[in-house]
Amino acid sequence: VEIVGRNEADNVVIEILDRGPGLSADVARRAGEAFFSTKSPSGLGIGLFLANATIERFGGRVRIVNRQGGGACTQITLPILAP
C-alpha cells in the first residue's frame, strides 16, 4: 500500500493505492453503500459508509477506482479551511 498526498487548488487530496486485484464491477458500483461488505460474514458494511458520510460533512468526497495495471485507488478530497 502506498499513500500519496498533495494540494490541488483549495483542496488536499489523499490517495491510498494498492496493488491487489482491483474491484469487480459490482463492488465498484456498491462501494460505500450501507451494509455492503466484501468481508462476509464478519464485515458489517458500515466502515466506508461512515467514513464517506463524515468526509462529505466536511465538504469532501471519496472516490474509489481501479488503477491501470491492477490494484485500486481510494481518493479522498477535502477542502482546505482558512484559519
Side-chain angles (χ1 to χ4, degrees):
V1 174
E2 180 182 355
I3 299 173
V4 178
R6 66 182 180 276
N7 288 338
E8 282 186 1
D10 294 331
N11 296 305
V12 171
V13 178
I14 301 164
E15 292 181 333
I16 304 162
L17 310 163
D18 72 38
R19 292 179 182 85
L23 306 169
S24 69
D26 183 52
V27 171
R29 183 175 43 78
R30 296 187 65 194
E33 183 180 300
F35 307 112
F36 172 73
S37 177
T38 60
K39 298 176 185 167
S40 197
S42 64
L44 297 176
I46 59 172
L48 181 57
F49 174 76
L50 292 175
N52 188 50
T54 301
I55 289 166
E56 284 182 352
R57 211 171 279 143
F58 285 103
R61 66 188 164 123
V62 177
R63 211 180 80 161
I64 303 173
V65 296
N66 284 322
R67 297 174 65 189
Q68 258 186 358
C73 171
T74 302
Q75 184 182 73
I76 301 165
T77 304
L78 289 164
I80 298 172
L81 302 176

